[in-house]
Amino acid sequence: MKSAVETLDPTKVKLTVEVEYDELKPSIDHAYKHIAEQVNIPGFRKGKVPPRVIDQRVGWGAVIEHAVNDALSGFYRQAASEENLRPLGQPEVEVTEIPAKAGEGQLVFTAEVEVRPEITLPALDSLAITVEPAEVTDEDVTERLDALRERFGTLVGVDRPAAEGDFVVLDLKAEIDGEEVDSVSGVSYQIGSGNMLEGLDEALTGLSADETTTFNAPLAGGEHEGKEAAVTVTATSVKQRDLPEADDDFAQLASEFDTLEELTADLREQVASIKTSNQAVAARDELLKALNDAVEIPVPAGAVEAEVHRHLESEGRLEDDTHRAEVTVEATDALRNQILLDTLAEQLEIKVAQNELLEYLVSASRQYGMDPNQFIQSLDQGGQIPAMVGEVARSKSLAVALRQIEVKDTAGNVVDLTEFIGSDDEDAAADEPVEDVAGERGEEALVADSRPPAAERPGG
């Protein structure tokens, strides 16, 4: 087989493939066998019809069409691999030549396909990453302590106008052109939360129990979503949250500690841990931004459109042009980041260890509320394991890249992110890379290895 690549634009190529007759012959033989099992020809049993008879009765055209259809995808994948192409979508294939008769000729086809563009990333040590300090203040600890006190607070009715932070039990009615379109009653709402109607916070502020007011607002849901409505709201009661005193008794009630001093010390450690974790997240985001700013990344329009169509079709919103525009921006950004991180992973020669992949898959299964074994098996059956390996590699590439960059806080202090980004020594001691496992035993080994012993499985 011979192949050649013509670059049509930075994200699209034309692959021309020539396949000699001998390479196509196994597929031709299979075509003869398959057709022989399907046709009824007097004097021959099914499956025993000779090729020359099939040529006479069915025709060479049917045979070669079957063979080409059967073999085309395999030859395409082989050629794409040999040419080091990284397709980002399905190819548009055109067959330009087929063997004219048995025993001679060749198969020639072209495939136009969008591919990952070649980009050059800047030297990592040339990038400057700055994050906020992880310093813990007394105000941080007090804020966390107050949040804990609120969890143990009690709602008490008050005889005064409602204010921000109060809880109001309310009845609400919405009308459009004098016709009632929605109503609720007995709903508890905290002023300032902003999770109901636009303008509700302002309408309730200053309202006492059993008082009513009206305001105009766009409806937030239902068949009239977005339409302006006249809203009537009545406060049936006003309550404030009374917090328990911050003392040793509260510490014993709300935690495993005996004293408030011990509780606040633990809260300080919690805040410090959160701020340090936030530094790692911020450093990752800043690195991704710096790389995006440093290189122009052409994004294949067809791959974006395919993802947008899939997304809108799953939501039943193919005709929603406004939402299509929003999803197009999101899909373009996501694909741009994928191209960047795939390139970074290759540049850093990232290897994904089997335990890293399994940890990711188990975590993902929890997000979907599925049993990890069933989740992994469903991915394997759908051929999605390689895509999951890619996800892990992209995430890992940012962590490995951050090891090569001196991250500082805004005060000029060097930030140690080893807890979150690991070390090269840890990678060297990691399990066998997934690529090696798949190469030696196939991807099904990943599923088998992740299952518990037979005695622990249902029916084991």
Side-chain angles (χ1 to χ4, degrees):
M1 187 184 74
K2 296 189 295 183
S3 61
V5 175
E6 176 188 355
T7 300
L8 303 179
D9 62 46
T11 63
K12 194 171 189 178
V13 299
K14 181 178 181 180
L15 179 66
T16 301
V17 182
E18 299 178 3
V19 182
E20 294 298 327
Y21 186 91
D22 288 345
E23 294 176 278
L24 186 60
K25 190 174 186 303
S27 295
I28 295 175
D29 293 341
H30 179 269
Y32 276 123
K33 181 178 179 181
H34 185 268
I35 293 173
E37 293 171 348
Q38 302 299 314
V39 297
N40 291 312
I41 297 179
F44 297 96
R45 288 179 298 162
K46 276 195 173 184
K48 301 299 182 180
V49 184
R52 59 177 178 78
V53 176
I54 292 176
D55 286 346
Q56 294 170 356
R57 295 296 185 91
V58 179
W60 169 251
V63 175
I64 194 61
E65 180 181 3
H66 188 293
V68 169
N69 288 338
D70 183 54
L72 205 60
S73 61
F75 287 127
Y76 164 73
R77 288 195 299 270
Q78 180 183 344
S81 176
E82 290 176 356
E83 296 291 346
N84 295 315
L85 299 181
R86 304 175 183 87
L88 289 176
Q90 295 299 317
E92 295 180 6
V93 177
E94 180 183 1
V95 176
T96 59
E97 182 180 339
I98 58 174
K101 61 181 180 178
E104 61 183 60
Q106 63 178 352
L107 166 66
V108 181
F109 66 92
T110 62
E112 292 189 11
V113 64
E114 289 184 319
V115 295
R116 198 181 87 199
E118 297 290 337
I119 59 175
T120 302
L121 300 179
L124 294 174
D125 56 11
S126 69
L127 302 176
I129 304 298
T130 305
V131 297
E132 291 296 320
E135 178 184 357
V136 179
T137 65
D138 291 340
E139 290 76 13
D140 293 327
V141 178
T142 299
E143 181 180 341
R144 197 161 183 82
L145 177 61
D146 287 346
L148 185 60
R149 291 170 64 203
E150 285 188 3
R151 289 171 52 190
F152 288 86
T154 55
L155 294 180
V156 179
V158 293
D159 185 17
R160 60 166 175 76
E164 184 170 354
D166 286 343
F167 288 80
V168 179
V169 178
L170 55 84
D171 297 337
L172 185 148
K173 179 177 66 175
E175 296 181 345
I176 296 179
D177 296 330
E179 179 183 352
E180 183 176 316
V181 295
D182 199 5
S183 66
V184 294
S185 61
V187 175
S188 180
Y189 175 76
Q190 185 178 23
I191 298 178
S193 61
N195 56 9
M196 284 188 70
L197 288 176
E198 181 183 319
L200 182 60
D201 290 333
E202 293 80 3
L204 289 174
T205 301
L207 212 62
S208 297
D210 297 323
E211 289 187 342
T212 299
T213 188
T214 61
F215 64 99
N216 293 325
L219 296 181
E223 61 178 308
H224 299 286
E225 180 179 356
K227 293 182 178 179
E228 193 80 7
V231 181
T232 302
V233 60
T234 300
T236 60
S237 66
V238 179
K239 299 178 181 181
Q240 69 180 20
R241 192 196 297 274
D242 285 353
L243 305 183
E245 290 294 326
D247 53 21
D248 291 347
D249 289 339
F250 173 70
Q252 294 168 22
L253 171 68
S255 70
E256 72 271 26
F257 302 107
D258 294 326
T259 67
L260 181 63
E261 182 179 359
E262 292 174 320
L263 174 58
T264 53
D266 182 68
L267 293 176
R268 185 176 292 274
E269 290 182 4
Q270 291 180 30
V271 174
S273 176
I274 291 171
K275 288 202 169 188
T276 303
S277 176
N278 289 344
Q279 282 186 318
V281 174
R284 178 203 64 193
D285 292 345
E286 286 297 313
L287 172 57
L288 186 57
K289 181 179 183 300
L291 290 172
N292 265 304
D293 291 344
V295 62
E296 186 71 26
I297 304 176
V299 178
V304 171
E305 177 56 32
E307 173 58 23
V308 171
H309 184 87
R310 184 202 64 78
H311 183 101
L312 295 179
E313 188 174 43
S314 69
E315 296 181 337
R317 302 175 67 177
L318 285 172
E319 306 303 321
D320 189 336
D321 292 338
T322 300
H323 188 49
R324 175 180 292 274
E326 296 170 351
V327 175
T328 298
V329 172
E330 295 171 359
T332 300
D333 289 343
L335 185 53
R336 180 181 292 110
N337 286 336
Q338 178 181 321
I339 293 169
L340 188 152
L341 293 178
D342 283 342
T343 303
L344 180 63
E346 285 188 1
Q347 179 177 303
L348 296 175
E349 299 182 349
I350 296 296
K351 301 293 183 183
V352 175
Q354 181 173 332
N355 66 314
E356 292 173 321
L357 175 61
L358 292 179
E359 181 180 341
Y360 174 83
L361 294 176
V362 170
S363 176
S365 71
R366 295 195 186 105
Q367 295 179 14
Y368 286 96
M370 293 181 62
D371 173 77
N373 295 320
Q374 293 178 349
F375 180 72
I376 294 172
Q377 289 173 11
S378 66
L379 288 176
D380 181 59
Q381 291 168 1
Q384 294 299 305
I385 294 294
M388 298 300 103
V389 174
E391 288 289 333
V392 179
R394 293 179 198 114
S395 178
K396 187 175 180 179
S397 70
L398 283 171
V400 174
L402 282 171
R403 299 174 195 168
Q404 303 182 25
I405 300 171
E406 187 175 64
V407 179
K408 294 184 177 181
D409 63 24
T410 53
N413 302 309
V414 174
V415 178
D416 183 5
L417 299 176
T418 304
E419 177 186 354
F420 305 97
I421 64 177
S423 66
D424 293 338
D425 290 340
E426 291 173 342
D427 283 352
D431 289 348
E432 184 178 19
V434 169
E435 294 92 336
D436 295 341
V437 174
E440 294 175 8
R441 293 179 286 165
E443 290 172 358
E444 64 277 9
L446 297 175
V447 178
D449 291 350
S450 70
R451 301 170 66 197
E456 298 177 17
R457 297 199 298 268

